[in-house]
C-alpha cells in the first residue's frame, strides 16, 4: 500500500465510514482500469496503423496500387 494512503485510511476507519472508503476504493480501481484500457486501446491502434502502412507498402511494391 502507498505510504501516503495510510493517514487517509486511518481517518476513514476512525470515523467508521467504511461505506465511503469502499466507494473510494471502487472509484480508484475503476479509474485505474479505465486508464489501463485506454492505453491498451491506443497501443492496439498504433499497431493496426503500422500494419496497414506495411500492407500498403507491400501492395505498392507488388504493383497492386489499388487503381
Amino acid at each position: 500500500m502507498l505510504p501516503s494512503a495510510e493517514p487517509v485510511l486511518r481517518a476513514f476507519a476512525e470515523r467508521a465510514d467504511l461505506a465511503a472508503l469502499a466507494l473510494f476504493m471502487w472509484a480508484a480501481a475503476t479509474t485505474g482500469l479505465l486508464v489501463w484500457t485506454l492505453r491498451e486501446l491506443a497501443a492496439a491502434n498504433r499497431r493496426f496503423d503500422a500494419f496497414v502502412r506495411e500492407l500498403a507498402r507491400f501492395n505498392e511494391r507488388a504493383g497492386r496500387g489499388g487503381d
Side-chain angles (χ1 to χ4, degrees), residues 11-63:
F12 276 109
E14 287 173 356
R15 296 181 186 170
D17 196 4
L18 297 179
L21 178 61
L23 181 61
F24 171 74
M25 297 298 283
W26 174 82
T30 303
T31 301
L33 185 60
L34 176 64
V35 168
W36 177 79
T37 302
L38 289 175
R39 283 183 186 166
E40 290 296 317
L41 184 60
N45 199 15
R46 284 190 298 271
R47 288 190 302 268
F48 182 72
D49 188 47
F51 169 74
V52 170
R53 273 195 230 126
E54 289 296 321
L55 188 59
R57 188 183 316 173
F58 172 78
N59 284 337
E60 285 178 14
R61 288 182 182 170

